[in-house]
Amino acid sequence: MKRTGAQIFVESLKAEGIDTIFCYPGGATLNITDALTDISQINQVVVRHEQAAVHAADGYARASGRVGVALVTSGPGATNTVTGIATAYMDSIPLVVFSCQVNTMLIGNDAFQEADIVGITRPCTKHSYLVRDVKDLARIIKEAFHIAASGRPGPVLVDIPKDVSSAVGDFKYPEKAVIRSYQPTYVGHTGQIKKAMRLIMHSKRPVLYTGGGVILSNASQELTRFAEALSIPVTNTLMGLGGIPGNHPLFLGMLGMHGTYAANMAITESDLIIAMGARFDDRATGKTDEFAPHARIIHIDIDPTSISKNIKVDIPIVGDTRNVLTQMLKIVEEEKEVYRQYHRSIADWTDKIGKWKKDYPLTYQRNDTLKPQHVIERVFELTKGKAIITTEVGQNQMWAAQFFKFLKPRTCLTSGGLGTMGYGFPAAIGAQVAFPKSLVVDIAGDGSIQMNIQELATAVQYNLPVKVIILNNGFLGMVRQWQELFYEKRYTWTRLHSPDFVKVAEAYGAVGLRIEKEADVDRVLKQAFKNGRPTFIDVHVSPEECVYPMVPAGASLKEMLLV
Amino acid sequence: MRHTISLLVENEFGVLSRIAGLFSGRGFNIESLCVAESLDPTVSTMTIVTTGNDAILEQILKQLNKLINVIKVVDFKEIDYVSREMVLVKVNAEEKTRPEILRMVEIFRGKIIDVSSRSYTIMITGDEDKLKAFISLIKPLGIKELVRTGPIAMARGERMMKIKEKTETKGGESNG
């Protein structure tokens, strides 16, 4: 059947089952924009800045597990997506970003609104395509979705020139993508898994260290069952939060620079680290030479490049974490007699960890000021943990990670790898589009929120009732914290003037609320959570609060600064 | 440590820049890189000579394998292989040095492929040591210009670069 490239695009999205795109129009998108007129199967959310389109698609993907889709115009529209794409790339989030391009004849001519976006994004995409002929369009779209979602997921960029979207071609959507050079390994090597299980059996101080891979492969139930079966304590990376319920007795909290005492000490004294879907990032390991000095390491990851990249691994297992966990659980099941007693053989270890947890819990000094940590604790209590939380980057992100006990996977949406300020609000919009009835809360700071504050218009236009809690301390708090601790309190550049966030929200047609003292926290939060409208809550918190524990940059995990 | 790596890649535009970008973005070193179409016109063969310790080499191989357009990666570290390079040298050819040049070209089994009143252009193929030796011997006679291709490599015997599977878990490092 003959169709234009733009129609092929729309039909391909439908065939792929795409229900939502986040987009922004321009000259080069017009053919496609027009072809999407009255296409009600595809919810089209027009943002106010292309960076936000990608973050929204990313939030949609993280919350739902489906591939997020963004569509933007050529030139500046495309370059504005770079931060969003790099954010998704670092956190392995499946996205397909469609950028439109000038006519093929003009490519390379420095044409109006031309940018070599395939070239610009090459280092931060899993793969990218420039569609040069309409006959390739459907195949490329099929491949793009396949690559984005399979293996270690990631963003794929498809650049569509305007004459390709207007050209006429045959349309047949391929049933499957066949890429001879791309066949991810899903099933773990049985021999390696058996070796790993033997090593576990002989360990006395094991720790499960799990990351975003557990969330991405939907393995949290298997992880929890595995940990419970052997009574092995679990620590999560920032990306792994929600992989095991945050209130689970075996959960140690997050590890790393702002990890808990128990998690960092457990890693340091462990004799066996079982890493799953985590990549030994510098924020998690601290000084690598002194990371887990007594431990052997089992590493399960779908991406071979993650294995032995930063830390030498003893038993590598390439595969999907969920598959591998299932294989490991099967062994535990089959050899019940062997494993039933295991928890007894590590009782000294679990006791020791229990003592660390009891003696050094996450805490903060209460006084008559309004503490940001208290606000997060109240958000957790009032929502009973039933909320999708997004964060910006900085102190707000770390307090959210520490004090909101993520009970379920896909409820902690945060830019872990790239650390992108301005991520949380558009990501919350994307998550709210995916789950219109859920409570979606962005934990923000007064600095970060101003990096994508224009998306208030999007939230109001589509009536997306996201709640943005601005922990307003008048500083770029995390940088200020480093200045306080390591630069003798010279707060150069970090004092921040901000607008009246309540009035800003109101000017956009959203609700603006303010909290200035602890006594108002519950009342105002409750009001915000049930008003059904996009809401900014400007919380004036204690200005010079620091995030603790803290492992100074370059130090080993056991060298924590405590409250 | 020097390593020779051979790749089969999709013969598509942009593939070379992905590979070059991988090396520069991750701070890996490229000593030489040769690429051309293979017997199958949809596939190009690439030979890369790189330096690095074992950990770096492991990352290079894994990262190359991870690129979607890369079909196969072979490290010649533990494989018996042959490798050849070609060099073109333009040397001063004066009346009295010409016999000496001709003799050397003969000894090294090279060819003179261009002649002018003042110069010879010599083509020599061989492994790195041979080219080095030739260059050092001819240098005193006055090299005007020199161009090298960088080596290409192939496994000895029956072993071949076949497109079968892309083994992301290749090398035993990952899956035992």
Side-chain angles (χ1 to χ4, degrees), chain A residues 344-509:
Chain A
R344 286 207 191 136
S345 69
I346 60 167
D348 287 352
W349 174 238
T350 36
D351 288 351
K352 191 170 195 183
I353 285 176
K355 193 161 180 322
W356 284 331
K357 281 170 80 168
K358 195 163 137 278
D359 292 349
Y360 301 97
L362 281 172
T363 186
Y364 54 96
Q365 282 178 346
R366 309 288 297 248
N367 52 30
D368 54 0
T369 61
L370 176 48
K371 294 285 182 157
Q373 299 94 327
H374 172 75
V375 178
I376 312 272
E377 284 179 330
R378 294 315 300 159
V379 174
F380 176 72
E381 293 298 333
L382 293 172
T383 60
K384 300 190 178 67
K386 287 184 190 140
I388 297 171
I389 303 291
T390 72
T391 80
E392 303 291 338
V393 165
Q395 289 183 320
N396 60 76
Q397 181 184 33
M398 290 299 107
W399 284 320
Q402 293 177 332
F403 291 94
F404 194 94
K405 307 296 171 204
F406 294 92
L407 300 178
K408 285 189 172 163
R410 302 193 179 281
T411 57
C412 174
L413 281 43
T414 188
S415 170
L418 196 67
T420 309
M421 290 171 71
Y423 168 81
F425 186 29
I429 286 174
Q432 189 78 78
V433 170
F435 294 101
K437 296 213 172 87
S438 295
L439 177 63
V440 182
V441 180
D442 173 29
I443 307 289
D446 44 327
S448 286
I449 190 60
Q450 294 185 69
M451 286 211 180
N452 268 319
I453 201 165
Q454 77 286 345
E455 297 309 315
L456 263 169
T458 311
V460 170
Q461 179 177 343
Y462 296 94
N463 193 26
L464 300 165
V466 300
K467 316 299 171 194
V468 180
I469 298 177
I470 303 170
L471 301 174
N472 186 347
N473 55 11
F475 280 108
L476 290 168
M478 187 57 92
V479 186
R480 187 209 60 75
Q481 174 170 341
W482 285 51
Q483 289 173 325
E484 175 185 331
L485 297 173
F486 312 116
Y487 294 87
E488 294 165 341
K489 295 197 175 187
R490 287 184 296 277
Y491 295 157
T492 310
W493 298 0
T494 45
R495 276 179 222 278
L496 214 59
H497 170 81
S498 291
D500 181 328
F501 290 115
V502 172
K503 282 188 182 158
V504 170
E506 287 169 356
Y508 273 99

Side-chain angles (χ1 to χ4, degrees), chain A residues 122 126-128 132 147 152 180-183 185 189 192 303-305 307-309 316-318, chain B residues 10 13 17-18 40 42-43 58-59 62-63 66 68-71 163 166 168-169 173-176:
Chain A
R122 192 169 291 130
K126 185 172 173 187
H127 197 54
S128 50
R132 296 203 291 187
I147 291 171
R152 177 178 178 174
R180 62 178 166 182
S181 56
Y182 175 69
Q183 283 147 21
T185 307
H189 189 281
Q192 291 290 91
D303 179 4
T305 69
I307 294 177
S308 290
K309 183 174 68 179
I317 301 173
V318 176
Chain B
E10 296 290 350
F13 78 103
S17 75
R18 284 179 207 280
D40 173 352
T42 67
V43 176
E58 183 184 330
Q59 268 299 307
K62 285 174 168 179
Q63 294 285 355
K66 190 171 163 180
I68 307 286
N69 292 138
V70 171
I71 304 167
I163 300 174
K166 166 131 167 190
E168 294 230 342
T169 55
E173 262 304 322
S174 342
N175 251 352

